Amino acid sequence: MPLTRWSGSMFTPGSFCSTLDTEEESTSRGTGAELCQGSLISSASLDTLIQHLVPTTDYYPEKAYVFTFLLSARLFIAPHELLGRVCELCIQQQELANTPLDVAKVKKFGPKILQLLTEWTETFPSDFQEERMVSHINSIIDRIAPCDEVYWKKLDQLLENLKVKLASMNYRDVVIISIAASISDKLVAFKTKLTPIQKDMLSICSDPFILSQQLTHIELEHLRHIGPEEFVQAFVQKDALDSTQPCFTEQEKTSNLEAYVHWFNRLCYLVATEICMPAKKKQRALVIEFLIDVARECFNIGNFNSLMAIISGMNMTPVSRLKKTWAKAKTDKFFILEHQMDPTGNFYNYRTALRGAAHRSQTAQSNREKIVIPFFSLLIKDIYFLNEGCANRLPNGHVNFEKFAELAKQVGEFMIWKQVECPFKQEERILHYLHTAPIFNEDGLCLASYESESPENPLEKERWKSLRSSILGKS
């Protein structure tokens, strides 16, 4: 099998090229792979795809192929079974069970299997939470290490890096639980009974630029912990042609993704709470103007997720019905931002802005210019429709690899963006407030809105009376 060269990043958007063999080579070797124009694979049997993952003395799969297959293979085979198959093929093809070993051959093969294991552990570390995965790594290195002691050192470094990544993931799980426990989603004391110690956003941070930076810190922290495999595991699709069972069932397989969605919803409700809470119209108008400035700074940074959360919170009915408050606020900039995030044309304006931010990121010299935080719910929606629109397997039983190549392209772009280090200074007091400030639920927001500006029609009046009775215990 000829050596396949790679000259780009593992996740370079649009650069996916899963070249395996020419059509003639594929046919002569009986791989069962079907290729589309340009000798790019479109479908193949699972066995064939596994075979093309396995390195030899003179072949190494493209990084884009490695990423795509490791991302999608979990739908058909558990990671520990896949690694076991890879190790078995390596032992057979390189005759690693023979005594004595062919030292020259092993020294050509060794760096390639180590490279594959390194890419796997760095990109999908959660796969290695199972002891069986590490056991497979040890077993293959045990067979090649007698030919060169440097393999032991490289294995130790690989396992140490993996240990750090897994420890970070476990710490993140603890933090998520801790934050969830400290967040109050119940009603805060109603504004007519607020105590002097009750804080609001403006008392914590009155600079929209700083607040947008702290929101960006939170966004990037969430992105950093979302594994690419969660995008596949979130939309498990049972094909009629697929007799296999999903290789994962645990809820925590998408815990980071779900935590990020929860953060978006929390920010929406926090924005609405901050606007509805003040008793005076002038103060509510000031909060609206402040949040508009925060949203604009988020747009300038490239933080589209916080931007959309702020816009969504300001468009919630309890906020949008406050006509007297809005009339007092300067809102020209808000309508400009709304236009940028308008859902018309499948979010055409937003997608244009996102492409601009992505282009800026590719040519940026500083982390500040590299920041791209997509509107996450729309990214999930795009991936969902890609998954729903195409079968995992074709009628001939082949894996629909063309589908997974497109999925890898979308997820791969996200992988680039999530690796950016946040360049802004952390303000712990502000971060703590954003994570833990009490927020109104839907009923609380409605009641606060009616208390701020009286109901305008019989339906609203009836709703107001019901909420006062159930929440405040007043008739």
Side-chain angles (χ1 to χ4, degrees):
M1 198 178 295
L3 177 65
T4 305
R5 301 191 180 277
W6 177 259
S7 59
S9 166
M10 183 189 303
F11 308 115
T12 303
S15 68
F16 180 84
C17 179
S18 51
T19 306
L20 300 181
D21 300 297
T22 64
E23 190 167 2
E24 292 79 6
E25 288 174 324
S26 176
T27 302
S28 65
R29 294 177 63 239
T31 61
E34 294 182 6
L35 302 112
C36 48
Q37 188 176 5
S39 297
L40 304 183
I41 191 170
S42 61
S43 67
S45 67
L46 181 60
D47 287 342
T48 296
L49 294 173
I50 293 174
Q51 177 66 61
H52 283 292
L53 181 68
V54 178
T56 67
T57 55
D58 59 356
Y59 164 79
Y60 189 82
E62 290 188 353
K63 288 186 177 181
Y65 176 80
V66 174
F67 176 64
T68 301
F69 184 57
L70 292 181
L71 177 68
S72 58
R74 64 196 65 246
L75 290 171
F76 312 102
I77 182 172
H80 72 88
E81 294 177 359
L82 174 60
L83 184 54
R85 291 273 297 277
V86 169
C87 291
E88 288 174 8
L89 287 169
C90 289
I91 292 170
Q92 293 172 11
Q93 294 173 4
Q94 305 306 316
E95 300 177 323
L96 298 179
N98 292 359
T99 304
L101 291 172
D102 185 335
V103 175
K105 186 177 182 181
V106 170
K107 284 190 174 182
K108 290 179 68 178
F109 166 74
K112 293 182 174 64
I113 187 61
L114 276 167
Q115 182 180 346
L116 178 64
L117 294 173
T118 298
E119 289 181 25
W120 196 336
T121 55
E122 287 182 349
T123 312
F124 300 93
S126 63
D127 289 351
F128 294 84
Q129 291 177 315
E130 286 194 68
E131 292 184 8
R132 286 177 290 187
M133 294 290 285
V134 177
S135 178
H136 286 314
I137 294 179
N138 286 322
S139 68
I140 193 67
I141 301 301
D142 276 342
R143 293 182 180 274
I144 66 174
C147 297
D148 193 336
E149 289 189 1
V150 74
Y151 295 144
W152 285 121
K153 295 179 182 178
K154 290 184 177 179
L155 174 62
D156 288 341
Q157 185 61 54
L158 182 152
L159 293 178
E160 182 60 31
N161 292 341
L162 178 61
K163 181 180 178 181
V164 171
K165 283 182 175 289
L166 292 178
S168 175
M169 290 169 58
N170 292 334
Y171 173 74
R172 172 63 178 171
D173 290 341
V174 172
V175 170
I176 288 176
I177 293 172
S178 175
I179 289 176
S182 64
I183 289 175
S184 171
D185 286 326
K186 299 178 181 179
L187 291 174
V188 295
F190 195 65
K191 64 183 180 182
T192 56
K193 297 182 179 180
L194 284 179
T195 62
I197 62 171
Q198 180 69 46
K199 300 292 184 181
D200 57 45
M201 189 176 289
L202 279 172
S203 69
I204 299 295
C205 178
S206 59
D207 187 334
F209 188 62
I210 292 177
L211 186 59
S212 66
Q213 292 179 343
Q214 301 313 299
L215 288 170
T216 302
H217 263 295
I218 295 174
E219 299 283 353
L220 287 174
E221 182 67 16
H222 276 287
L223 293 187
R224 188 172 295 112
H225 289 88
I226 297 174
E229 70 280 356
E230 293 194 38
F231 291 99
V232 172
Q233 293 162 181
F235 304 117
V236 180
Q237 175 177 295
K238 185 62 179 175
D239 286 341
L241 296 163
D242 186 1
S243 60
T244 61
Q245 295 295 321
C247 301
F248 41 84
T249 56
E250 302 91 333
Q251 184 71 18
E252 61 266 20
K253 290 295 186 180
T254 58
S255 60
N256 293 302
L257 190 151
E258 290 169 5
Y260 193 32
V261 173
H262 178 82
W263 155 250
F264 179 90
N265 293 335
R266 171 174 171 74
L267 183 54
C268 290
Y269 276 84
L270 179 60
V271 165
T273 297
E274 294 290 334
I275 296 172
C276 290
M277 190 184 301
K280 295 183 178 180
K281 177 174 57 180
K282 180 180 179 181
Q283 184 63 20
R284 293 194 300 274
L286 286 175
V287 174
I288 286 177
E289 291 175 358
F290 173 73
L291 288 170
I292 291 171
D293 287 338
V294 173
R296 184 183 61 174
E297 293 300 335
C298 286
F299 179 85
N300 293 337
I301 289 172
N303 180 357
F304 298 105
N305 202 56
S306 289
L307 166 63
M308 181 54 87
I310 294 171
I311 291 175
S312 298
M314 297 176 82
N315 277 326
M316 291 178 72
T317 301
V319 178
S320 63
R321 67 168 298 277
L322 299 175
K323 296 177 182 178
K324 296 177 182 178
T325 301
W326 281 94
K328 196 171 185 63
K330 299 174 183 177
T331 57
D332 291 347
K333 290 178 287 186
F334 179 67
F335 298 128
I336 294 173
L337 292 172
E338 271 196 315
H339 177 71
Q340 287 289 345
M341 305 303 284
D342 187 346
T344 303
N346 193 18
F347 288 90
Y348 176 82
N349 294 337
Y350 157 71
R351 293 182 191 275
T352 301
L354 180 66
R355 284 195 298 271
H359 179 73
R360 178 190 68 186
S361 178
Q362 291 172 5
T363 59
Q365 300 299 315
S366 67
N367 282 341
R368 166 64 182 82
E369 295 176 319
K370 290 180 181 178
I371 296 173
V372 182
I373 302 173
F375 172 30
F376 196 66
S377 294
L378 187 58
L379 174 62
I380 293 294
K381 179 182 176 183
D382 288 344
I383 292 174
Y384 171 78
F385 282 113
L386 171 62
N387 184 67
E388 289 292 306
C390 303
N392 292 341
R393 289 185 189 266
L394 302 180
N396 63 2
H398 281 189
V399 173
N400 185 1
F401 203 72
E402 191 171 7
K403 165 186 174 176
F404 294 117
E406 180 59 32
L407 174 64
K409 178 182 175 182
Q410 293 190 29
V411 176
E413 194 168 37
F414 167 84
M415 291 291 289
I416 296 174
W417 297 335
K418 77 171 219 165
Q419 292 170 1
V420 175
E421 291 292 331
C422 190
F424 307 124
K425 179 184 176 182
Q426 290 192 37
E427 301 288 346
E428 294 299 334
R429 184 164 174 260
I430 300 173
L431 291 172
H432 183 265
Y433 183 84
L434 292 171
H435 278 306
T436 63
I439 56 177
F440 287 121
N441 61 15
E442 289 189 28
D443 286 347
L445 285 173
C446 286
L447 179 55
S449 179
Y450 294 146
E451 293 287 325
S452 297
E453 295 187 17
S454 301
E456 296 182 344
N457 56 60
L459 186 63
E460 285 191 345
K461 289 179 180 178
E462 189 63 32
R463 175 76 168 145
W464 181 33
K465 291 178 181 178
S466 174
L467 290 173
R468 283 178 65 87
S469 175
S470 62
I471 296 175
L472 300 181
K474 294 182 178 180
S475 59

